[in-house]
Amino acid sequence: MRIAFVSFETAHHRATETNERLRTVCELLAEHGHDVHWYCAGFWAGEESTFDADGITYHAVSNGPEARSSFLLRLPFVLAAASPDIVHASAQPPSQVVAANWGATLARAPLVLEWYGDGGVTDTRWTRFATGRPDRIVTPSELVGTWVRELGADGDIVETMPNPIDCDLIRDVEPDEEVDVIYARRLDEGANLESLLLGLAELRDRDWSANVVGDGPERDAYEQLTRDLRIEDRVTFLGDLDLEERIAAYRGAHVFAQTADHCVFPTEMLWAIAAGCVGIVEYHADSSAHELVEGWDRGFRTTSEDELAEAILAAGDLEHREYDEAFADYDRSAVANRYLESYRTLRDERGLL
């Protein structure tokens, strides 16, 4: 299948969650042998019109990040000439959705819109207009799906697709030393690590240890908080770790705590609970993390530091695991197949198969 991805900006321009998500989808489909093309602003050196990386062929519809108007004007004709089977566009910026829609119409291909929602979904004339263009809207969680529906999108075309994990990689990585609780996220203003630290402080009279993975501008403040709470000897700040190091840490840990204020999809939590951790989520209105633990017998949803502390105690009664096969449906192959099935359904509805 020939798939045309559309995003003026790529992860090579700026490593945002939205751009990284679209690159991941491209790589998944390329791994499955499909012909994957990304139409964007050029970001590579030299005068070549295309650039190949990780199974993806990037096409420079315009030159340089300042050439947005040129990108929007040229895109429909570039897509028509490419004759893709599917046009798959990012919702950011929403103005490119209109151009992608015209291109998909000229190419007689269904239009899929990837609406990741990092940073929220802004209610503007452009975003409302974008909801009515695609044949399918893909979101990472029900939370973002709700935001998109509230803008006016037809609920029947909104589909949830999670961020994928690599289950084989989890099984291949050796577990690190055992620890009772682990937390992982960039330590910035949205980390809300204080909720976990306050909950752990309620358990001073218990025997426990905790690791914090990640770095950021609030790290010093959080380290100071552990000293103020007199738990600094039990909490270890590990800093940034690469993926395999994080997996090793998760396989050694018993509980993963998710307390961030904002999260459109809890990717690190998914890696951790697939690696055997019990999942504890502090509920927040702008976080979808609770969706992963609803109806799961090794997950807890809390709303306060006291409840979080109680959940950590209750989790101690559950067996320690180093892998949980319940999350096989989140494997890279499984997620890729869900995208492909969605594409085939859309083409079948158009009578294109």
Side-chain angles (χ1 to χ4, degrees), residues 1-5 25-31 33-39 52 55-59:
M1 191 178 296
R2 185 179 180 87
I3 308 164
F5 284 83
V25 176
C26 289
E27 291 174 350
L28 289 179
L29 300 173
E31 288 171 8
H34 295 275
D35 194 11
V36 177
H37 299 259
W38 190 322
Y39 296 86
D52 292 314
I56 305 164
T57 300
Y58 294 89
H59 298 255

Side-chain angles (χ1 to χ4, degrees), residues 170-347:
I170 292 174
R171 287 190 291 259
D172 288 344
V173 172
E174 287 295 318
D176 208 338
E177 63 182 23
E178 292 190 9
V179 67
D180 297 296
V181 180
I182 194 166
Y183 172 101
R185 191 191 184 278
R186 175 170 165 75
L187 301 181
D188 56 20
E189 66 278 0
N192 192 32
L193 177 58
E194 60 266 29
S195 284
L196 174 59
L197 298 179
L198 290 169
L200 290 171
E202 295 291 322
L203 305 174
R204 285 189 195 89
D205 59 340
R206 304 277 183 158
D207 183 20
W208 56 264
S209 59
N211 284 341
V212 175
V213 177
D215 209 338
E218 298 301 313
R219 176 171 173 173
D220 288 345
Y222 285 131
E223 290 185 333
Q224 180 60 50
L225 181 57
T226 65
R227 291 189 287 271
D228 294 342
L229 296 171
R230 302 191 310 279
I231 57 173
E232 72 274 17
D233 59 330
R234 311 229 209 145
V235 180
T236 302
F237 286 79
L238 300 177
D240 288 331
L241 302 177
D242 65 29
L243 178 57
E244 291 194 15
E245 290 173 326
R246 298 198 306 273
I247 292 172
Y250 300 151
R251 297 197 80 187
H254 188 62
V255 167
F256 183 93
Q258 172 84 19
T259 58
D261 295 329
H262 176 87
C263 178
V264 295
F265 187 82
T267 307
E268 284 305 311
M269 180 180 177
L270 176 58
W271 281 105
I273 60 181
C277 287
V278 177
I280 297 179
V281 175
E282 184 177 65
Y283 176 80
H284 293 282
D286 289 334
S287 172
S288 70
H290 63 277
E291 296 175 24
L292 271 185
V293 302
E294 288 176 350
W296 181 48
D297 60 0
R298 287 173 60 84
F300 297 83
R301 176 173 147 173
T302 68
T303 59
S304 68
E305 289 83 9
D306 288 342
E307 289 184 3
L308 196 152
E310 292 171 3
I312 292 172
L313 289 179
D317 294 331
L318 300 175
E319 68 173 338
H320 179 83
R321 294 180 183 175
E322 295 174 354
Y323 177 71
D324 196 327
E325 62 184 12
F327 297 94
D329 288 345
Y330 293 88
D331 185 64
R332 293 177 68 87
S333 292
V335 174
N337 286 331
R338 287 183 59 185
Y339 271 101
L340 292 168
E341 183 60 32
S342 183
Y343 292 164
R344 295 184 185 109
T345 298
L346 290 175
R347 289 185 56 79

Side-chain angles (χ1 to χ4, degrees), residues 121-133:
V121 173
T122 306
D123 186 356
T124 67
R125 180 172 61 89
W126 277 110
T127 53
R128 289 194 301 273
F129 188 72
T131 64
R133 303 304 99 192

Side-chain angles (χ1 to χ4, degrees), residues 22-82:
L22 200 62
R23 177 163 65 177
T24 296
V25 176
C26 289
E27 291 174 350
L28 289 179
L29 300 173
E31 288 171 8
H32 280 66
H34 295 275
D35 194 11
V36 177
H37 299 259
W38 190 322
Y39 296 86
C40 59
F43 58 83
W44 52 92
E47 299 183 0
E48 294 82 1
S49 61
T50 62
F51 175 78
D52 292 314
D54 301 315
I56 305 164
T57 300
Y58 294 89
H59 298 255
V61 179
S62 62
N63 292 316
E66 70 285 350
R68 190 182 299 268
S69 296
S70 174
F71 176 85
L72 297 175
L73 289 171
R74 296 187 61 210
L75 181 64
F77 306 102
V78 171
L79 290 176

